Each structure stands twice: as C-alpha cells, then as structure tokens.
Amino acid sequence: MRFRTLTDEEIAHHEAQLERDGYTIVTSLIDDAGCDRLRACLDTLHDAQAFGDNDFAGTRTKRVFNLFAKTRELDALLTEPSVVRLVRHLLGPEAQLSIASTMEIHGGETAQAIHQDDAYFPVRPHPPLVVNTIWALTPFTDANGGTRVVPGSHLSSDPVDTRAPSIAIEMPRGSVLLWDGQLWHGGGANVTQEARFGLSLNYCRGWLRQQENQYLGLDPQVVSLLPDDVQKLLGYDICQFVGWVDGRHPMRAILPDVRTRIYAGRRGAD
Ligand SMILES: O=C(O)CCC(=O)C(=O)O
C-alpha cells in the first residue's frame, strides 16, 4: 500500500484546521491499488454482516468491529506517519487506538443523529481526549452519506442543538477525515443506489480506557509478533504510570517463551 507523503507545511495546515474547525480532510492519501486491496479484505468481512438494528447504528448500515483481530491489512493505516502526527498533535505522544470499525452506509439509509465521540467520558470541559479518523474507501458525497459535521462545535462545552446546521464532507476515495472527538457530527443519509464505505480508526489518550477492549479482543500471541509501533498504537504500552502488569511493561505479561526474543535490544523495556 502506498501513501502520499505530506510536507511539514501541509501537516501544519491540517493541525491548524483541526484546532480551528475541529476537523480536517487529507485528500487522496492512499493510492488506488491500496484502496482496492483494503476493500477486497473488508468486503469479505462485510459479506456475512447484517445491517444494524437501531436508528443510531443505522438499519441500512453495516459495521464490523474488532478489526485488528481479523486482518493485518490495517496495520499500515494505523501507523501511517502523517495521520499519526496529526492524531498526536491533539492527543500527545501516547495516543492509542480506541476502536476500529467499518461504516458501510447503503442506499436508503437516513441521517444519523449528530453526536460527540467522547461523550462517554463524562468530564466537561476537557482537552481533546479522542480523535476519530474515517478513511474513504469509496468517494464520500453529500448524496451518498458523507459524514456531516458542525464546524467549530468542538469549542463549546455546551450540547449543540441536534438540529444545528451541518455540512457534508465530500472527499475522493483514498482520503481521510480527522476530527476532534468533541466535534458534533454524524453519518449522512444515502439517497443513491451505491454504498458509501468508511473505515474508522478512533484514537484516545494513552491514559484512558479504550472504547473497544483491545486486550481481550486480540490474541496475545499475535500481538507479541507485531512490530513495536503497532503494539504501542494498539495500547500494549505504558503511559507514564498507567498500564503496568506486575510492575513491568505489559508485553512482559505475554508469552514468557517469546519475551526474551522480543525484548532483546529493546530500549527501556523494563
Ligand atoms: O459513518 C459516518 O460517517 C460517521 C458515523 C458515526 O459518527 C458513528 O457511527 O458514530
């Protein structure tokens, strides 16, 4: 999979957009072949997936969760350097994955209620706690259910009127939308015949509990064989004094027979 490389000026522009508007769009980050490859893998997971059974999840929307237990194709997205830099800009160096899921909005879906992705952390006001990303694996348009956002709404600690004017995110396939978890947003209505496919990698601060339990969801033997940066972003790390197991790095708790090999030469493992 090939990614477009962003310049430092482009990164600075996106950081400023995230701070000012609460969201930014990095266009055409993944090449066509990469999008095809991701779709081939995710479509296999979607074939067997039923539509949601409530208005919020969407009765014409398919979602698959716990993705890092089901494929290794997403590791390159999780560690994509420009997106990681932008996520860390708001969440700090210990940012970790909170939840990974697909959001395939089929024709006939109605608009989702706008909401905040950090609403389940009941502290107000607060600094950014969550950054969500949605990778467009089809084009996103106003008509096909492109994510709707209320620009600037991340700056208010008061609830937004759920009928507040929102705008639809339009972006070509291979692009990624990033937003501060305080931004009011929701999936759009799809009035076309074609499904809109989004892949969401949602991150939180390293000292928060992840929304999806990555310790029970993933096989520890598989995690132990992943590269360091993937392990860290999946939350298998220490954030200051949070995350220890028996006073040591959490990877020490996984598979004593492989830990010697894993830790050979790793700086600061103890
Ligand atoms: O699919 C989208 O564009 C956003 C969906 C969303 O915000 C959610 O399901 O929480």
Side-chain angles (χ1 to χ4, degrees), residues 26 31 73 85 104 121 146 152 156 175 206 224 260 263:
V26 183
D31 64 354
E73 292 289 341
R85 262 178 87 177
E104 187 183 28
F121 295 123
S156 164
S175 307
S224 72
T260 309
Y263 281 91

Side-chain angles (χ1 to χ4, degrees), residues 65-251:
F65 296 96
N66 200 25
L67 293 173
F68 286 88
K70 296 174 181 165
T71 173
R72 297 270 57 82
E73 292 289 341
L74 308 184
D75 293 358
L77 264 60
L78 183 68
T79 53
E80 195 288 316
S82 301
V83 171
V84 169
R85 262 178 87 177
L86 292 171
V87 168
R88 288 184 175 152
H89 177 69
L90 290 189
L91 300 183
E94 290 106 353
Q96 59 179 343
L97 182 80
S98 182
I99 178 169
S101 68
T102 53
M103 295 161 178
E104 187 183 28
I105 300 183
H106 285 245
E109 183 60 279
T110 53
Q112 185 186 43
I114 61 166
H115 58 279
Q116 294 171 300
D117 282 336
D118 58 8
Y120 42 83
F121 295 123
V123 189
R124 294 286 182 279
H126 60 64
L129 299 178
V130 168
V131 171
N132 206 343
T133 69
I134 189 161
W135 296 79
L137 299 183
T138 59
F140 274 37
T141 67
D142 192 357
N144 78 2
T147 313
R148 301 199 69 87
V149 301
V150 183
S153 56
H154 63 304
L155 297 174
S156 164
S157 49
D158 297 326
V160 158
D161 183 336
T162 51
R163 292 155 305 175
S166 59
I167 59 167
I169 298 296
E170 301 209 307
M171 54 183 175
R173 185 170 93 126
S175 307
V176 57
L177 165 71
L178 295 94
W179 69 92
D180 182 327
Q182 299 170 98
L183 187 80
W184 289 78
H185 71 282
N190 188 342
V191 297
T192 73
Q193 304 299 313
E194 304 292 325
R196 186 226 72 178
F197 201 111
L199 166 66
S200 165
L201 301 186
N202 176 315
Y203 301 79
C204 66
R205 294 258 181 194
W207 37 263
L208 280 172
R209 184 165 185 199
Q210 294 155 295
Q211 190 178 351
E212 184 166 53
N213 192 322
Q214 305 295 336
Y215 309 125
L216 291 177
L218 307 186
D219 178 343
Q221 298 197 36
V222 173
V223 173
S224 72
L225 299 172
L226 297 177
D228 280 9
D229 54 348
V230 178
Q231 289 176 351
K232 180 179 166 68
L233 282 162
L234 289 173
Y236 289 72
D237 198 12
I238 300 161
C239 181
Q240 296 162 33
F241 290 100
V242 177
W244 299 99
V245 179
D246 207 3
R248 304 176 102 181
H249 192 284
M251 291 308 296

Side-chain angles (χ1 to χ4, degrees), residues 27-71:
T27 50
S28 306
L29 198 51
I30 320 177
D31 64 354
D32 270 346
C35 290
D36 289 344
R37 190 171 163 154
L38 288 165
R39 278 305 297 272
C41 152
L42 296 172
D43 285 352
T44 310
L45 299 176
H46 270 232
D47 285 347
Q49 188 63 35
F51 288 118
D53 62 2
N54 62 72
D55 283 346
F56 190 79
T59 53
R60 294 282 300 154
T61 297
K62 289 189 177 185
R63 296 165 191 263
V64 175
F65 296 96
N66 200 25
L67 293 173
F68 286 88
K70 296 174 181 165
T71 173

